[in-house]
PDB file of all heavy atoms in Angstrom:
ATOM      1  N   SER B 316     -19.749  -6.546  40.386  1.00 92.00           N
ATOM      2  CA  SER B 316     -18.630  -6.103  41.220  1.00 92.00           C
ATOM      3  C   SER B 316     -17.350  -6.025  40.399  1.00 92.00           C
ATOM      4  O   SER B 316     -17.268  -6.587  39.302  1.00 92.00           O
ATOM      5  CB  SER B 316     -18.419  -7.078  42.373  1.00 92.00           C
ATOM      6  OG  SER B 316     -17.890  -8.276  41.859  1.00 92.00           O
ATOM      7  N   THR B 319     -15.925  -9.391  39.586  1.00 95.00           N
ATOM      8  CA  THR B 319     -16.529 -10.055  38.427  1.00 95.00           C
ATOM      9  C   THR B 319     -15.943  -9.507  37.129  1.00 95.00           C
ATOM     10  O   THR B 319     -15.669 -10.256  36.192  1.00 95.00           O
ATOM     11  CB  THR B 319     -18.057  -9.873  38.459  1.00 95.00           C
ATOM     12  OG1 THR B 319     -18.564 -10.585  39.588  1.00 95.00           O
ATOM     13  CG2 THR B 319     -18.697 -10.420  37.197  1.00 95.00           C
ATOM     14  N   ARG B 322     -12.722 -11.185  36.663  1.00 94.00           N
ATOM     15  CA  ARG B 322     -12.872 -12.577  36.225  1.00 94.00           C
ATOM     16  C   ARG B 322     -13.196 -12.654  34.745  1.00 94.00           C
ATOM     17  O   ARG B 322     -12.590 -13.421  33.995  1.00 94.00           O
ATOM     18  CB  ARG B 322     -13.987 -13.248  37.035  1.00 94.00           C
ATOM     19  CG  ARG B 322     -13.591 -13.475  38.483  1.00 94.00           C
ATOM     20  CD  ARG B 322     -14.629 -14.274  39.240  1.00 94.00           C
ATOM     21  NE  ARG B 322     -14.263 -14.345  40.655  1.00 94.00           N
ATOM     22  CZ  ARG B 322     -14.871 -13.664  41.623  1.00 94.00           C
ATOM     23  NH1 ARG B 322     -15.893 -12.877  41.348  1.00 94.00           N
ATOM     24  NH2 ARG B 322     -14.447 -13.783  42.867  1.00 94.00           N
ATOM     25  N   SER B 329     -16.265 -19.161  35.154  1.00 87.00           N
ATOM     26  CA  SER B 329     -17.241 -19.486  36.188  1.00 87.00           C
ATOM     27  C   SER B 329     -18.307 -18.388  36.315  1.00 87.00           C
ATOM     28  O   SER B 329     -19.242 -18.515  37.090  1.00 87.00           O
ATOM     29  CB  SER B 329     -16.531 -19.692  37.530  1.00 87.00           C
ATOM     30  OG  SER B 329     -16.052 -18.470  38.016  1.00 87.00           O
ATOM     31  N   HIS B 331     -21.467 -16.191  35.340  1.00 92.00           N
ATOM     32  CA  HIS B 331     -22.726 -16.405  34.626  1.00 92.00           C
ATOM     33  C   HIS B 331     -22.674 -15.681  33.276  1.00 92.00           C
ATOM     34  O   HIS B 331     -22.331 -14.498  33.216  1.00 92.00           O
ATOM     35  CB  HIS B 331     -23.893 -15.869  35.467  1.00 92.00           C
ATOM     36  CG  HIS B 331     -25.236 -16.180  34.879  1.00 92.00           C
ATOM     37  ND1 HIS B 331     -25.959 -17.311  35.234  1.00 92.00           N
ATOM     38  CD2 HIS B 331     -25.980 -15.546  33.940  1.00 92.00           C
ATOM     39  CE1 HIS B 331     -27.086 -17.337  34.544  1.00 92.00           C
ATOM     40  NE2 HIS B 331     -27.123 -16.273  33.752  1.00 92.00           N
ATOM     41  N   ARG B 334     -24.076 -12.116  32.929  1.00 92.00           N
ATOM     42  CA  ARG B 334     -23.308 -11.049  33.567  1.00 92.00           C
ATOM     43  C   ARG B 334     -22.025 -10.800  32.766  1.00 92.00           C
ATOM     44  O   ARG B 334     -21.573  -9.659  32.625  1.00 92.00           O
ATOM     45  CB  ARG B 334     -22.954 -11.426  35.006  1.00 92.00           C
ATOM     46  CG  ARG B 334     -24.121 -12.100  35.729  1.00 92.00           C
ATOM     47  CD  ARG B 334     -23.767 -12.340  37.193  1.00 92.00           C
ATOM     48  NE  ARG B 334     -24.447 -11.396  38.049  1.00 92.00           N
ATOM     49  CZ  ARG B 334     -23.866 -10.587  38.896  1.00 92.00           C
ATOM     50  NH1 ARG B 334     -22.555 -10.606  39.014  1.00 92.00           N
ATOM     51  NH2 ARG B 334     -24.560  -9.756  39.631  1.00 92.00           N
TER      52      ARG B 334
ATOM     53  P    DC D 197     -20.952 -21.820  37.341  1.00 75.37           P
ATOM     54  OP1  DC D 197     -21.722 -21.839  36.132  1.00 75.37           O
ATOM     55  OP2  DC D 197     -19.501 -22.007  37.279  1.00 75.37           O
ATOM     56  O5'  DC D 197     -21.210 -20.459  38.131  1.00 75.37           O
ATOM     57  C5'  DC D 197     -22.322 -19.668  37.802  1.00 75.37           C
ATOM     58  C4'  DC D 197     -22.515 -18.687  38.908  1.00 75.37           C
ATOM     59  O4'  DC D 197     -22.042 -19.273  40.131  1.00 75.37           O
ATOM     60  C3'  DC D 197     -21.732 -17.379  38.730  1.00 75.37           C
ATOM     61  O3'  DC D 197     -22.659 -16.303  38.824  1.00 75.37           O
ATOM     62  C2'  DC D 197     -20.746 -17.357  39.885  1.00 75.37           C
ATOM     63  C1'  DC D 197     -21.400 -18.277  40.897  1.00 75.37           C
ATOM     64  N1   DC D 197     -20.435 -18.989  41.794  1.00 75.37           N
ATOM     65  C2   DC D 197     -20.348 -18.581  43.119  1.00 75.37           C
ATOM     66  O2   DC D 197     -21.066 -17.653  43.514  1.00 75.37           O
ATOM     67  N3   DC D 197     -19.473 -19.214  43.959  1.00 75.37           N
ATOM     68  C4   DC D 197     -18.730 -20.222  43.489  1.00 75.37           C
ATOM     69  N4   DC D 197     -17.891 -20.825  44.332  1.00 75.37           N
ATOM     70  C5   DC D 197     -18.816 -20.667  42.129  1.00 75.37           C
ATOM     71  C6   DC D 197     -19.673 -20.031  41.324  1.00 75.37           C
ATOM     72  P    DT D 198     -22.309 -14.845  38.553  1.00 75.37           P
ATOM     73  OP1  DT D 198     -23.524 -14.127  38.130  1.00 75.37           O
ATOM     74  OP2  DT D 198     -21.091 -14.822  37.733  1.00 75.37           O
ATOM     75  O5'  DT D 198     -21.926 -14.325  40.000  1.00 75.37           O
ATOM     76  C5'  DT D 198     -22.959 -13.992  40.922  1.00 75.37           C
ATOM     77  C4'  DT D 198     -22.317 -13.401  42.150  1.00 75.37           C
ATOM     78  O4'  DT D 198     -21.449 -14.378  42.742  1.00 75.37           O
ATOM     79  C3'  DT D 198     -21.455 -12.183  41.876  1.00 75.37           C
ATOM     80  O3'  DT D 198     -22.158 -11.039  42.351  1.00 75.37           O
ATOM     81  C2'  DT D 198     -20.158 -12.429  42.644  1.00 75.37           C
ATOM     82  C1'  DT D 198     -20.462 -13.675  43.456  1.00 75.37           C
ATOM     83  N1   DT D 198     -19.344 -14.642  43.664  1.00 75.37           N
ATOM     84  C2   DT D 198     -18.889 -14.825  44.940  1.00 75.37           C
ATOM     85  O2   DT D 198     -19.323 -14.234  45.904  1.00 75.37           O
ATOM     86  N3   DT D 198     -17.875 -15.747  45.051  1.00 75.37           N
ATOM     87  C4   DT D 198     -17.300 -16.483  44.019  1.00 75.37           C
ATOM     88  O4   DT D 198     -16.411 -17.291  44.251  1.00 75.37           O
ATOM     89  C5   DT D 198     -17.827 -16.240  42.713  1.00 75.37           C
ATOM     90  C7   DT D 198     -17.277 -16.976  41.530  1.00 75.37           C
ATOM     91  C6   DT D 198     -18.818 -15.337  42.576  1.00 75.37           C
ATOM     92  P    DG D 199     -21.611  -9.566  42.059  1.00 75.37           P
ATOM     93  OP1  DG D 199     -22.763  -8.683  41.782  1.00 75.37           O
ATOM     94  OP2  DG D 199     -20.485  -9.632  41.122  1.00 75.37           O
ATOM     95  O5'  DG D 199     -21.063  -9.201  43.506  1.00 75.37           O
ATOM     96  C5'  DG D 199     -21.914  -9.416  44.631  1.00 75.37           C
ATOM     97  C4'  DG D 199     -21.172  -9.109  45.897  1.00 75.37           C
ATOM     98  O4'  DG D 199     -20.198 -10.156  46.149  1.00 75.37           O
ATOM     99  C3'  DG D 199     -20.383  -7.807  45.868  1.00 75.37           C
ATOM    100  O3'  DG D 199     -20.535  -7.202  47.148  1.00 75.37           O
ATOM    101  C2'  DG D 199     -18.951  -8.258  45.629  1.00 75.37           C
ATOM    102  C1'  DG D 199     -18.911  -9.609  46.326  1.00 75.37           C
ATOM    103  N9   DG D 199     -17.986 -10.589  45.759  1.00 75.37           N
ATOM    104  C8   DG D 199     -17.785 -10.875  44.431  1.00 75.37           C
ATOM    105  N7   DG D 199     -16.927 -11.838  44.228  1.00 75.37           N
ATOM    106  C5   DG D 199     -16.528 -12.218  45.504  1.00 75.37           C
ATOM    107  C6   DG D 199     -15.603 -13.223  45.910  1.00 75.37           C
ATOM    108  O6   DG D 199     -14.961 -13.997  45.206  1.00 75.37           O
ATOM    109  N1   DG D 199     -15.482 -13.267  47.307  1.00 75.37           N
ATOM    110  C2   DG D 199     -16.164 -12.456  48.180  1.00 75.37           C
ATOM    111  N2   DG D 199     -15.915 -12.648  49.476  1.00 75.37           N
ATOM    112  N3   DG D 199     -17.043 -11.521  47.803  1.00 75.37           N
ATOM    113  C4   DG D 199     -17.167 -11.456  46.458  1.00 75.37           C
ATOM    114  P    DA D 200     -20.159  -5.704  47.402  1.00 75.37           P
ATOM    115  OP1  DA D 200     -21.403  -4.943  47.645  1.00 75.37           O
ATOM    116  OP2  DA D 200     -19.227  -5.270  46.357  1.00 75.37           O
ATOM    117  O5'  DA D 200     -19.358  -5.838  48.781  1.00 75.37           O
ATOM    118  C5'  DA D 200     -19.687  -6.899  49.664  1.00 75.37           C
ATOM    119  C4'  DA D 200     -18.668  -6.953  50.778  1.00 75.37           C
ATOM    120  O4'  DA D 200     -17.601  -7.859  50.407  1.00 75.37           O
ATOM    121  C3'  DA D 200     -17.971  -5.632  51.080  1.00 75.37           C
ATOM    122  O3'  DA D 200     -17.570  -5.667  52.438  1.00 75.37           O
ATOM    123  C2'  DA D 200     -16.800  -5.643  50.110  1.00 75.37           C
ATOM    124  C1'  DA D 200     -16.420  -7.121  50.122  1.00 75.37           C
ATOM    125  N9   DA D 200     -15.899  -7.624  48.857  1.00 75.37           N
ATOM    126  C8   DA D 200     -16.171  -7.201  47.579  1.00 75.37           C
ATOM    127  N7   DA D 200     -15.567  -7.877  46.640  1.00 75.37           N
ATOM    128  C5   DA D 200     -14.836  -8.826  47.356  1.00 75.37           C
ATOM    129  C6   DA D 200     -13.973  -9.861  46.946  1.00 75.37           C
ATOM    130  N6   DA D 200     -13.705 -10.113  45.667  1.00 75.37           N
ATOM    131  N1   DA D 200     -13.409 -10.614  47.913  1.00 75.37           N
ATOM    132  C2   DA D 200     -13.697 -10.355  49.192  1.00 75.37           C
ATOM    133  N3   DA D 200     -14.500  -9.422  49.705  1.00 75.37           N
ATOM    134  C4   DA D 200     -15.037  -8.679  48.716  1.00 75.37           C
ATOM    135  P    DG D 203      -4.081  -6.772  54.382  1.00 75.37           P
ATOM    136  OP1  DG D 203      -3.383  -7.715  55.276  1.00 75.37           O
ATOM    137  OP2  DG D 203      -4.249  -5.348  54.753  1.00 75.37           O
ATOM    138  O5'  DG D 203      -3.397  -6.823  52.951  1.00 75.37           O
ATOM    139  C5'  DG D 203      -3.544  -8.024  52.168  1.00 75.37           C
ATOM    140  C4'  DG D 203      -2.904  -7.776  50.828  1.00 75.37           C
ATOM    141  O4'  DG D 203      -3.877  -7.129  49.967  1.00 75.37           O
ATOM    142  C3'  DG D 203      -1.703  -6.827  50.905  1.00 75.37           C
ATOM    143  O3'  DG D 203      -0.617  -7.399  50.206  1.00 75.37           O
ATOM    144  C2'  DG D 203      -2.187  -5.559  50.226  1.00 75.37           C
ATOM    145  C1'  DG D 203      -3.225  -6.102  49.256  1.00 75.37           C
ATOM    146  N9   DG D 203      -4.223  -5.137  48.848  1.00 75.37           N
ATOM    147  C8   DG D 203      -4.874  -4.209  49.627  1.00 75.37           C
ATOM    148  N7   DG D 203      -5.699  -3.459  48.952  1.00 75.37           N
ATOM    149  C5   DG D 203      -5.583  -3.917  47.641  1.00 75.37           C
ATOM    150  C6   DG D 203      -6.225  -3.481  46.455  1.00 75.37           C
ATOM    151  O6   DG D 203      -7.054  -2.583  46.323  1.00 75.37           O
ATOM    152  N1   DG D 203      -5.815  -4.219  45.348  1.00 75.37           N
ATOM    153  C2   DG D 203      -4.904  -5.235  45.389  1.00 75.37           C
ATOM    154  N2   DG D 203      -4.623  -5.837  44.229  1.00 75.37           N
ATOM    155  N3   DG D 203      -4.289  -5.664  46.481  1.00 75.37           N
ATOM    156  C4   DG D 203      -4.677  -4.959  47.567  1.00 75.37           C
ATOM    157  P    DC D 204       0.861  -6.928  50.497  1.00 75.37           P
ATOM    158  OP1  DC D 204       1.549  -7.979  51.245  1.00 75.37           O
ATOM    159  OP2  DC D 204       0.825  -5.539  51.006  1.00 75.37           O
ATOM    160  O5'  DC D 204       1.477  -6.871  49.039  1.00 75.37           O
ATOM    161  C5'  DC D 204       1.166  -7.848  48.050  1.00 75.37           C
ATOM    162  C4'  DC D 204       1.420  -7.239  46.701  1.00 75.37           C
ATOM    163  O4'  DC D 204       0.216  -6.622  46.238  1.00 75.37           O
ATOM    164  C3'  DC D 204       2.455  -6.120  46.746  1.00 75.37           C
ATOM    165  O3'  DC D 204       3.740  -6.671  46.469  1.00 75.37           O
ATOM    166  C2'  DC D 204       1.995  -5.167  45.645  1.00 75.37           C
ATOM    167  C1'  DC D 204       0.518  -5.512  45.428  1.00 75.37           C
ATOM    168  N1   DC D 204      -0.474  -4.453  45.792  1.00 75.37           N
ATOM    169  C2   DC D 204      -1.401  -4.029  44.856  1.00 75.37           C
ATOM    170  O2   DC D 204      -1.375  -4.522  43.723  1.00 75.37           O
ATOM    171  N3   DC D 204      -2.304  -3.077  45.207  1.00 75.37           N
ATOM    172  C4   DC D 204      -2.297  -2.575  46.441  1.00 75.37           C
ATOM    173  N4   DC D 204      -3.217  -1.651  46.734  1.00 75.37           N
ATOM    174  C5   DC D 204      -1.354  -3.002  47.423  1.00 75.37           C
ATOM    175  C6   DC D 204      -0.462  -3.932  47.059  1.00 75.37           C
TER     176       DC D 204
END
Side-chain angles (χ1 to χ4, degrees):
Chain B
S316 71
T319 294
R322 290 186 186 106
S329 70
H331 186 93
R334 319 185 105 236

